[in-house]
Amino acid sequence: MEVQGEATMFDIDRWKEIISALKKNKLRSFLTAFGVFWGIFMLIIMAGAGKGLENGITDGVGQIATNSFFLWTQRTSEPYKGLRRGRWWSYENEDVDFIRKNVPEADIVTPRLFSGGGGGTSNTVRGERTGSYYIKGDYPEWAKIDPVEVTNGRWLNNVDVMQRRKVCIIGETIFKELFDADEEPIGEYLRINGVYYQIVGVIKPISNININGRTEESIFLPFSTMQIAYNYGNQVHIFGITAKPGHSASTVEEKVMAALKERHKIAPNDVQAIGHINLEKQFKQFSSLFTGIQILTWIVGIGTLLAGVIGVSNIMLVIIKERTQEIGVMRAIGATPRKVIGQIILESVFLTTVAGYLGLFLGVLLLEGFNKILEMAAASGSQDIFIKQPEVNFTVAVACLTILIVSGAIAGYIPARRAVQIKPIDALRDE
Amino acid sequence: MITLKNLHKSYFTASNSLHVLKGISLDIHQGEFVSVMGSSGSGKSTLLNILGILDSYDKGSYHLDGKLIQNMSEKNAAKYRNETLGFIFQSFNLISFKNAMENVALPLYYQGVSRKKRNVTALEYLDKLGLLEWAEHMPNELSGGQKQRVAIARALISKPKVILADEPTGALDTQTSYEVMEILKEINQEGITIIIVTHEHDIAAMTDKIIKLRDGVIGDLIINGDLASFKKSYAKNVATL
């Protein structure tokens, strides 16, 4: 009689053995599995919710340049070089070249003029219809900082600015309010503060972040056109600036502000004269919030999972105790210790894996269902949803399963070791 | 087949030690049908466990089929048990969630025999023991005698040289006990050595050699002529059946 090598893991008999052992104790198997199931289910749900919140907020931010900052002018708060405090001042066209020359770390430097909006008097007229919108004078580069989606026609180009063309790009809301749905807006004219402009494009925002008023309620004119048409001289209202790759937006911001203060005779210690917002700082706050949520998710999730696995180990111990006699018989009729250990580990791994996979599956299913509901809500026009696409990435799921299988093996190994340390006779006498 | 020389065995508990076997020397030849008797505590179960390589011994020697059995690794012991020995227990020790056929086939599973082949073999043995139609039944659907016959089939399937039976009739009524003994006798006639532990004289009377243990040593060895009178005095029960 020849003893062949250990049966492999995929030996059908082994699996029959496992299934029958588990089937025999349905309730116990179920309770064991439930611990693991719940652990991974919670982990997936929490990770998904955390990710959903992150997606919701990052998506709201859209593709806006996160290394950008914006500078505008306010009244001075310090007297300087013989000038009184409380002085009004403004940027000039020349500041663009000045910044580029003095702060080489600045990448895009784009000026903007703006007026109107905010429910003021109507400034835009098309035939019978009128509206009050935000008017912005821009260079094409503005869209590199705050990208927009062109739904019809085109965005501003350099020729518009160079030739001071009287063209405009309108936000989607304006199209809806001033046009019928089936009308073609391109080529039509709008009268904005008394001047006629031809519409060349319709856009909608990508980001939820609005600068100088809601993008969908804005009309974009070439910067030069707006400056001339409304007698702004060489004024600039606001600068949008990005830092070159490898430079911190905050540092560049400091440098630009210092340079501008010097050029415009503002006291270096005047903190009020330049109004500014730095997206890099805002994003850093958000990302540390997300990191916090993720850490919390993992701590709680892994804790729950661990509790599940310890539960499995515990139950396996009980099972072994109950099955001492059976194990004794198995060994009396020729099962090697390795075989007994292998069998018990496989049972444990099987149980944790199936339960874990089920938890994973149902967790993902629930997230998916939730996602569908969110998408429906978003499609029906709810703007205030801050959770989007709750999901777990594939690596996380695979990592979870791996942890489960490994911990299942450990959970099985500890009681299995115990089982084979019991002498077969003791096992057989144990009744 | 089995040679024991001055075998000693003690059990140790936390507070005291118990010297169970105090020097047992014994020869059992191939094809013998031997019973081990003795009051409880005389060491008969311990002896059987040592013979079955289910337990170790402290002093002396144990040769099984010409090989010294000593300090065996669990793996080797399992191999020996599987190939040389067959076990029959008082409480049958069938695996409760396997049917009769699967129980019988189990030793072959540990030998790595394919499922199909070992089930066919298992059915052959069940047929031999008159249990073919019970092959698909679970242990709890079988009577005590049927269970013990399944256990015997399981012990036989690996074609052992020695069958060790620990109180094989202990849980059975008299008639069933005798039926089981008849089966064991038939097996013995095929050349398999059988050693049974029992405290029932009538059961012992059916064997060819009776070893009486008393306080860890061999008190009496009843063979040949003595055996005849022993049989005479205890065979009544058989006759009155």
Side-chain angles (χ1 to χ4, degrees), chain B residues 213-225:
Chain B
L213 287 183
R214 195 165 297 136
D215 297 331
V217 291
I218 294 176
D220 273 316
L221 200 62
I222 304 170
I223 34 169
N224 301 331

Side-chain angles (χ1 to χ4, degrees), chain A residues 160 164-166 197 221-230:
Chain A
D160 294 335
R164 297 184 193 123
R165 282 177 175 164
K166 287 202 254 175
Y197 296 87
L221 307 175
F223 178 83
S224 51
T225 314
M226 185 161 171
Q227 211 171 34
I228 298 281
Y230 304 107

Side-chain angles (χ1 to χ4, degrees), chain A residues 16-295:
Chain A
K16 286 218 163 183
E17 198 97 337
I18 289 166
I19 301 292
S20 55
L22 294 176
K23 251 195 194 158
K24 190 198 159 205
N25 300 292
K26 286 200 183 87
L27 181 69
R28 192 173 58 193
S29 304
F30 170 76
L31 288 176
T32 310
F34 189 76
V36 174
F37 166 80
W38 193 246
I40 195 133
F41 183 72
M42 287 310 288
L43 183 65
I44 294 297
I45 294 293
M46 285 198 304
K51 187 73 189 168
L53 191 65
E54 188 178 332
N55 281 347
I57 292 173
T58 11
D59 201 74
V61 162
Q63 289 157 357
I64 197 160
T66 52
N67 61 341
S68 60
F69 56 94
F70 302 88
L71 306 176
W72 60 94
T73 59
Q74 294 173 162
R75 291 177 75 173
T76 58
S77 64
E78 299 286 338
Y80 190 62
K81 289 194 174 168
L83 294 163
R84 64 180 178 90
R85 63 190 288 242
R87 176 169 67 97
W88 288 103
W89 65 290
S90 56
Y91 301 129
E92 302 166 347
N93 289 353
E94 291 74 26
D95 286 335
V96 178
D97 283 333
F98 176 78
I99 294 168
R100 286 197 178 122
K101 211 166 131 194
N102 286 281
V103 189
E105 298 95 325
D107 193 0
I108 300 168
V109 180
T110 176
R112 164 181 270 188
L113 288 167
F114 61 90
S115 76
T121 49
S122 293
N123 53 13
T124 307
V125 182
R126 177 180 180 251
E128 307 264 289
R129 305 188 205 190
T130 62
S132 165
Y133 303 115
Y134 303 99
I135 314 298
K136 298 168 181 176
D138 273 325
Y139 276 87
E141 285 87 40
W142 190 272
K144 287 184 183 164
I145 298 177
D146 184 9
V148 291
E149 188 185 335
V150 178
T151 54
N152 194 355
R154 63 170 176 87
W155 175 244
L156 292 170
N157 63 34
N158 285 322
V159 185
D160 294 335
V161 180
M162 255 160 47
Q163 301 185 348
R164 297 184 193 123
R165 282 177 175 164
K166 287 202 254 175
V167 294
C168 69
I169 284 100
I170 60 173
E172 278 215 316
T173 310
I174 301 170
F175 167 65
K176 281 177 195 151
E177 287 177 4
L178 299 186
F179 290 85
D180 293 329
D182 55 349
E183 270 183 292
E184 172 59 49
I186 306 297
E188 292 294 309
Y189 287 87
L190 290 182
R191 200 179 79 212
I192 301 160
N193 287 330
V195 182
Y196 280 93
Y197 296 87
Q198 190 176 27
I199 298 171
V200 293
V202 180
I203 56 108
K204 69 176 183 189
I206 295 175
S207 168
N208 277 349
I209 293 179
N210 295 300
I211 295 147
N212 312 120
R214 295 174 74 97
T215 308
E216 59 268 46
E217 292 170 21
S218 299
I219 297 171
F220 298 85
L221 307 175
F223 178 83
S224 51
T225 314
M226 185 161 171
Q227 211 171 34
I228 298 281
Y230 304 107
N231 291 318
Y232 283 113
N234 67 346
Q235 267 184 44
V236 170
H237 287 151
I238 186 166
F239 278 114
I241 302 174
T242 64
K244 276 189 177 149
H247 293 279
S248 147
S250 308
T251 330
V252 178
E253 183 187 24
E254 294 295 325
K255 284 189 181 168
V256 172
M257 276 164 57
L260 284 174
K261 276 178 184 170
E262 171 142 10
R263 182 173 144 81
H264 290 276
K265 298 193 176 70
I266 308 289
N269 60 345
D270 191 336
V271 290
Q272 188 195 293
I274 297 180
H276 59 109
I277 183 164
N278 188 329
L279 291 185
E280 187 188 63
K281 277 183 193 158
Q282 313 284 323
F283 279 99
K284 271 189 180 154
Q285 279 174 6
F286 273 129
S287 60
S288 55
L289 176 72
F290 295 143
T291 315
I293 291 175
Q294 272 176 7
I295 290 172

Side-chain angles (χ1 to χ4, degrees), chain B residues 88-94 131 134 138-152 167-173 175-177 179-180 183:
Chain B
I88 300 168
F89 307 95
Q90 175 177 0
S91 46
F92 322 124
N93 281 333
L94 299 178
L131 284 172
W134 300 90
M138 302 307 273
N140 59 6
E141 296 164 342
L142 300 172
S143 71
Q146 286 169 330
K147 277 189 217 174
Q148 197 57 299
R149 278 189 279 164
V150 171
I152 292 171
E167 301 272 12
T169 59
L172 303 173
D173 62 65
Q175 194 185 341
T176 321
S177 294
E179 282 169 22
V180 166
I183 294 166

Side-chain angles (χ1 to χ4, degrees), chain B residues 9-13 16-21:
Chain B
K9 173 72 183 174
S10 299
Y11 285 114
F12 298 95
T13 55
N16 57 343
S17 69
L18 188 65
H19 201 173
V20 184
L21 297 181

